Amino acid sequence: MKAAYYIGNKEFSLREVDPVTPGSGEVRVKIAYCGICGTDLHVYLGHMDARVGNNRVIGHEMSGTIESIGEGVENLEIGDPVVIRPLAPCGKCPACERGHSHICQNLKFLGLDSDGAFQENWTIPAYTVHKLPVGISLQHAALIEPLAVACHDVTRSRLQPGEDVLVIGGGPIGMLVAMVARKQGGNVVISEVSEHRLATAEKMGFSTLNPLKVNVAEEIYKATGNKGADVVFEVSGSQPGVDTMTEACATRARIVMVAIHATKPQVDLFKFFWREIEMLGVRVYEPQDFEKAIEMIAAGAIDCETMITDIQELPDIQNAFAALSGNPQAMKSLIRCS
Amino acid sequence: MKAAYYIGNKEFSLREVDPVTPGSGEVRVKIAYCGICGTDLHVYLGHMDARVGNNRVIGHEMSGTIESIGEGVENLEIGDPVVIRPLAPCGKCPACERGHSHICQNLKFLGLDSDGAFQENWTIPAYTVHKLPVGISLQHAALIEPLAVACHDVTRSRLQPGEDVLVIGGGPIGMLVAMVARKQGGNVVISEVSEHRLATAEKMGFSTLNPLKVNVAEEIYKATGNKGADVVFEVSGSQPGVDTMTEACATRARIVMVAIHATKPQVDLFKFFWREIEMLGVRVYEPQDFEKAIEMIAAGAIDCETMITDIQELPDIQNAFAALSGNPQAMKSLIRCS
């Protein structure tokens, strides 16, 4: 079978390898599609070599079908459509002991810390598998993993129907967060600097603001009768986004920190004090977030067609990464793996 | 009667003025004691002239007795021992409408935005009055206002018995937060740079760390079996304190932002994401926080004697402010007003 290895310096090596026979408690999944995550792009660009190494199959936003079942695995059958929740917690650290194994202090992420899904077949622990309803589109199902991120983020925000929501950053995760928040009854505005992405957001029916053209906080205050946004999702990872998150929000608002800030931005802690603002860090997902994402995709609640920019074949992975990294307008690129 | 007016440039003017007759819905309180708050020191140092002006009676950490009662005031009698919750909300803004009138978007703070308690008698709206149990020490009762701040902060933290608590900054508010947190069953450690304050904290039975001598986060991790602090109160208002707050905390910890940060410090937002940390801004108090503080003082649950550094007479207010601003080791200075 074919497997695409990241070998460093923006390069993949496509190799013919033997499928791995599933051991006890494992299954082998035939990968249908695997999306390119922002994290995968970081790997491609060499930012994560220290963690990932130079001989790693990456990829985790996948869909597929069960192809082979190891000993002791119950409740799964060959041919079942599935997705994988790519987290391997240690089960022993304080975070695991306190029920937060999704952010285990020694968490292994499948597709970064061990091989992932940019290959024809993937052998993984059965406990990571979520079964899909029969008949679901496996193209659309490749969006379940990033959608589970969005479900986790919105759940952590404690969003109530009718609340005013600002999403700062209209990339793939920002758009999915906006869609989930709207489904839960939020009045969602997306702030984004790319006109192309703003057009995509508007096509999906969202109100939008371009911070290069208007003062986002002022517009939010005007639109909410001088109240501000009840929930702000910071998905931009930028200093201007961090400035806006405190400026635009209401008294006792919840700010959800979705973005990965590689440097320490300046934060208006006075505003946190003055308005009793709350901030919630969010990372990956819990099993129930996957189940909710599966339900949403199965019910057609997500505009998957607009989210999927293009689909390329596994042997073309090198070009797919090069194209995506040069195209800030793209949403989600999928790789067809088998 | 005597009243001390802040007239700018570190100066008070002691004047003989007529007591104000309470109007409808108002009462006049004979002030017994009024503590000097950190905010009062900021006024004295000229940092708040734009807000306070140069002809203002400041002071709000007071105790006293009802001396005169205006029309329509029920449930209060002359001679009742009382404290004042010095907040005058507008009742109309979005924050008030949503039940957060203590942080009203147009909040007036008595003793800053209107005259306060460094005078013999103070006429204020009756709705700001909290009655005290008969027999309570009016010296100790002057600590009720700052203690209500601490009660508010600990309530917002959702502290559970047995949780590990780090208080960063061992000044008066940090010490009161530590005392309330310990009463609620927290295992409290205080981080503070002043050896004198560390000694005071130790005298009160707290574990302490000096960040100038040890790595606070490492010590907290060692002491909690690699878990970190469940609740961190940032009361230092410093960049090193802000660095420590994210370094020392556990997965899903709650950081309570008590300090007033005049500038925007750099905050490790990556850590918020990585460990799903939560941060809660806190400001002043709600009525129930005052009631809780009154109960604690009445029950002798707070070591008031250690907290009160000295007591000076109203005519000596100038010296009292000069002495306190030159003495970083002091805890709470009281002014005897009548």
Side-chain angles (χ1 to χ4, degrees), chain A residues 80-335:
Chain A
D80 280 348
V82 297
V83 291
I84 303 306
R85 182 167 35 84
L87 307 181
C90 76
K92 294 173 194 165
C93 71
C96 282
E97 275 175 2
R98 292 148 75 91
H100 309 309
S101 64
H102 69 296
I103 43 172
C104 162
Q105 290 172 232
N106 309 302
L107 189 69
K108 301 266 180 236
F109 194 94
L110 310 186
L112 290 176
D113 303 310
S114 61
D115 282 345
F118 288 131
Q119 53 181 335
E120 281 182 69
N121 297 290
W122 192 22
T123 302
I124 36 77
Y127 70 78
T128 65
V129 173
H130 287 261
K131 269 170 83 167
L132 302 177
V134 174
I136 198 170
S137 153
L138 289 180
Q139 270 180 29
H140 294 179
L143 294 178
I144 286 169
E145 194 271 355
L147 182 60
V149 168
C151 288
H152 185 66
D153 299 350
V154 174
T155 297
R156 286 272 285 162
S157 80
R158 311 190 307 273
L159 177 64
Q160 297 299 310
E163 286 194 314
D164 295 304
V165 176
L166 173 63
V167 178
I168 301 174
I173 293 291
M175 292 291 273
L176 290 169
V177 165
M179 283 187 259
V180 175
R182 181 165 64 183
K183 271 281 158 207
Q184 287 208 191
N187 305 315
V188 181
V189 176
I190 297 175
S191 169
E192 166 60 47
V193 293
S194 150
E195 286 293 336
H196 186 273
R197 285 183 165 176
L198 285 169
T200 305
E202 281 159 22
K203 188 182 151 203
M204 289 184 181
F206 288 106
S207 301
T208 62
L209 294 168
N210 185 338
L212 301 180
K213 294 187 173 170
V214 297
N215 181 313
V216 170
E218 277 177 19
E219 295 300 318
I220 294 288
Y221 265 78
K222 265 189 245 167
T224 59
N226 199 36
K227 174 178 62 64
D230 302 298
V231 176
V232 176
F233 294 95
E234 170 17 35
V235 201
S236 77
S238 70
Q239 180 68 57
V242 169
D243 292 337
T244 300
M245 78 183 189
T246 47
E247 288 162 7
C249 69
T251 297
R252 289 252 177 134
R254 289 92 72 199
I255 293 172
V256 182
M257 186 47 57
V258 182
I260 302 176
H261 284 268
T263 58
K264 293 182 182 181
Q266 289 190 287
V267 178
D268 190 351
L269 294 182
F270 179 84
K271 206 69 172 280
F272 273 86
F273 151 79
W274 193 249
R275 311 222 40 199
E276 294 201 334
I277 297 167
E278 188 176 339
M279 181 160 70
L280 297 140
V282 288
R283 180 172 159 219
V284 296
Y285 24 60
E286 296 175 87
Q288 59 271 31
D289 301 313
F290 255 75
E291 289 303 321
K292 189 172 165 196
I294 291 168
E295 266 176 46
M296 291 183 81
I297 294 281
I302 296 297
D303 182 352
C304 297
E305 294 301 323
T306 304
M307 285 299 295
I308 297 171
T309 303
D310 63 336
I311 300 175
Q312 311 218 32
E313 306 299 320
L314 185 59
D316 296 327
I317 190 168
Q318 184 73 49
N319 293 335
F321 269 77
L324 188 61
S325 91
N327 179 8
Q329 300 178 344
M331 282 289 160
K332 189 54 70 183
S333 288
L334 302 190
I335 304 290

Side-chain angles (χ1 to χ4, degrees), chain B residues 119-159:
Chain B
Q119 51 181 336
E120 281 183 67
N121 297 290
W122 191 23
T123 301
I124 34 78
Y127 70 77
T128 65
V129 173
H130 287 261
K131 271 169 81 166
L132 301 177
V134 174
I136 198 170
S137 154
L138 289 180
Q139 270 180 28
H140 294 180
L143 294 178
I144 287 170
E145 194 270 358
L147 181 60
V149 168
C151 289
H152 185 66
D153 300 350
V154 174
T155 298
R156 286 274 283 162
S157 80
R158 311 192 306 274
L159 177 64

